[in-house]
Amino acid sequence: MDIIFLKEFRIKTLIGIYPWEKKIPQTIELNLEIALPSQQASRTDHIEDALDYSKIVYKINSMLSQQHFSLLETLTENIAQMILNEFGAPWVKVSAAKLNVIRGVKQLGICIERSRQ
């Protein structure tokens, strides 16, 4: 299985259950590993046969700018399902972390893995 990855993708979004979290964007850090639907791109060297990283980043930016999530669990699930369904990936691993929200904790978050059924 060939896997592409996006590491330390930081983005501001509304996330959380507290009233202030619904008004003040927070920076979260995403890390993704995405299985490629095929190995065609490695043979042809054509972007049409690959997963376009920029399109994935654009879709995540759009999603997180348009929607408030209460939980990181829901945010990661939505990102995973979007990648599986819209990009045809057979498997994805998504980690999302809030940064410096609890004193003494650099990151807190969740990591999920999902496969197409």
Side-chain angles (χ1 to χ4, degrees):
M1 178 170 24
D2 295 351
I3 297 172
I4 63 169
F5 60 87
L6 288 87
K7 299 286 184 191
E8 297 181 19
F9 172 21
R10 292 188 177 187
I11 183 170
K12 283 194 173 281
T13 190
L14 295 173
I15 179 78
I17 59 171
Y18 299 108
W20 71 268
E21 291 178 307
K22 296 177 182 183
K23 296 177 186 168
I24 301 170
Q26 297 178 67
T27 300
I28 61 168
E29 183 175 289
L30 301 172
N31 288 287
L32 295 94
E33 295 180 23
I34 305 166
L36 299 177
S38 77
Q39 297 174 340
Q40 188 70 11
S42 64
R43 291 189 289 273
T44 66
D45 200 29
H46 295 133
I47 187 64
E48 301 82 27
D49 296 325
L51 287 181
D52 188 335
Y53 305 90
S54 66
K55 288 182 181 178
I56 294 169
V57 170
Y58 175 82
K59 291 292 288 190
I60 293 171
N61 279 322
S62 291
M63 177 189 294
L64 297 183
S65 70
Q66 297 173 14
Q67 190 170 356
H68 171 268
F69 293 99
S70 295
L71 302 174
L72 285 172
E73 290 86 344
T74 310
L75 181 145
T76 54
E77 185 67 36
N78 277 264
I79 291 172
Q81 292 304 318
M82 179 271 295
I83 291 169
L84 294 172
N85 296 325
E86 294 185 31
F87 291 94
W91 172 88
V92 65
K93 181 177 180 180
V94 180
S95 299
K98 289 184 174 185
L99 308 175
N100 302 309
V101 292
I102 297 176
R103 182 175 292 190
V105 178
K106 186 175 181 178
Q107 295 182 344
L108 57 89
I110 185 167
C111 181
I112 66 169
E113 292 185 41
R114 298 291 183 266
S115 300
R116 271 198 298 163
Q117 301 188 14

